[in-house]
Amino acid sequence: MDIESHIKALKRICRLRGIPVTPQRRIVYEAIIRRGDHPSAEQVFDEVHKQLTNISKATVYRVIDRLIELGLVRRVGQSGMVARFDADLRRHHHFTCRSCGRIVDIHDPQLDAIAIPQTLANSFVIEDFGVHFFGLCTECRGKLGEKSVDNV
């Protein structure tokens, strides 16, 4: 989805919920979309602050929380990691480099088709799932001198 389509979705959802589309909401959302690298709130703030020099970090955090609440952005990452944000709401999965922290999207129909284990299906209502791989990206592996792993 391109930026304009995302902005149309923001306007539509805000209108349906009776929430104004403020310049802050639009600019924070655009910053997350444009970066595409799963930015942290700090990175979003740095990006937005270039355009709105009077915006506070607290405002950026509140706007991100509202975008999550509206279903326009997802929080990505694991417990103990800095929260990162993703505006790509299509089913996809992630790889996170344990050295540099880079997060990469993985679009793979085989991962999408993973069967939910019956023990989970019997005990829980599964609303969504994603596979998250952790390891070293090519660049970090080269810097650290680690060899590729053939089988995990």
Side-chain angles (χ1 to χ4, degrees):
M1 190 179 340
D2 61 36
I3 290 175
E4 206 45 53
S5 297
H6 276 91
I7 297 304
K8 284 180 185 176
L10 170 69
K11 290 177 180 178
R12 181 178 45 76
I13 290 169
C14 285
R15 187 175 52 250
L16 289 171
R17 301 276 297 270
I19 300 168
V21 180
T22 63
Q24 294 89 343
R25 281 192 185 112
R26 183 183 173 115
I27 290 172
V28 167
Y29 189 42
E30 284 181 8
I32 295 169
I33 297 163
R34 284 186 201 286
R35 287 205 44 135
D37 63 348
H38 311 87
S40 67
E42 283 288 324
Q43 291 171 317
V44 173
F45 171 76
D46 291 344
E47 198 72 31
V48 169
H49 193 257
K50 294 173 190 173
Q51 295 175 42
L52 291 176
T53 56
N54 63 339
I55 196 166
S56 70
K57 285 184 183 180
T59 298
V60 170
Y61 279 77
R62 279 193 304 272
V63 169
I64 291 172
D65 285 343
R66 179 55 70 108
L67 292 171
I68 291 168
E69 178 187 314
L70 294 172
L72 294 165
V73 170
R74 288 186 186 164
R75 184 175 275 112
V76 179
Q78 299 294 330
S79 175
M81 295 174 60
V82 171
R84 308 275 288 275
F85 304 97
D86 192 352
D88 183 354
L89 302 178
R90 298 172 294 167
R91 173 168 308 282
H92 67 283
H93 312 280
H94 295 99
F95 167 84
T96 299
C97 178
R98 68 174 165 81
S99 180
C100 68
R102 179 174 158 211
I103 298 176
V104 178
D105 287 340
I106 301 170
H107 295 274
D108 187 317
Q110 288 182 313
L111 294 175
D112 297 346
I114 291 175
I116 303 298
Q118 196 60 46
T119 55
L120 284 177
N122 290 340
S123 303
F124 303 97
V125 176
I126 307 298
E127 296 175 345
D128 194 12
F129 76 94
V131 176
H132 204 130
F133 297 95
F134 294 90
L136 290 172
C137 67
T138 305
E139 293 82 15
C140 290
R141 197 172 67 229
K143 288 177 195 172
L144 297 173
E146 295 196 20
K147 302 231 186 276
S148 176
V149 176
D150 292 333
N151 292 320
V152 178

